[in-house]
Amino acid sequence: PIRIDKRNRVASVDGRRLDLTFAEFSLLLLLMEAESGIATKEEISLHVLGRQLQSFDRSVDVHVSNLRQKLAPFPAIKLETIRRVGYRLVTR
């Protein structure tokens, strides 16, 4: 149900455009393209924020939370937390 236009950095669900920040779009794209289906916090920090994950750094969690809020109107899409591993995008 998610459509991604990488060139224009636009994402939509069921034809409704998502108003995403640069980081949120990058996070969504990373989650969609994750080979194992799971993106670790370290991968997210490197590929989305452009830096190594630091101890006690909560910025990844904040971006995940913001993306979850923007996906909330679409019950067929969930961002799951995989404890001690990372996050997974689930579509039904």
Side-chain angles (χ1 to χ4, degrees), residues 8-26:
N8 295 308
R9 296 190 63 80
V10 172
S12 61
V13 178
D14 297 331
R16 293 171 40 197
R17 184 178 176 158
L18 298 171
D19 183 26
L20 302 177
T21 65
F22 187 89
E24 292 163 354
F25 180 87
S26 298

Side-chain angles (χ1 to χ4, degrees), residues 8-58:
N8 295 308
R9 296 190 63 80
V10 172
S12 61
V13 178
D14 297 331
R16 293 171 40 197
R17 184 178 176 158
L18 298 171
D19 183 26
L20 302 177
T21 65
F22 187 89
E24 292 163 354
F25 180 87
S26 298
L27 173 59
L28 180 61
L29 186 60
L30 178 66
L31 290 165
M32 290 182 69
E33 294 180 341
E35 286 185 32
S36 66
I38 298 172
T40 66
K41 282 187 167 188
E42 291 80 10
E43 290 172 323
I44 294 169
S45 188
L46 271 176
H47 298 289
V48 174
L49 305 176
R51 57 186 162 83
Q52 293 284 330
L53 185 64
Q54 302 294 315
S55 299
F56 306 106
D57 185 352
R58 304 287 299 167

Side-chain angles (χ1 to χ4, degrees), residues 15 83 86:
R83 283 200 178 278

Side-chain angles (χ1 to χ4, degrees), residues 4 18 23 89:
I4 297 284
L18 298 171
L89 185 69

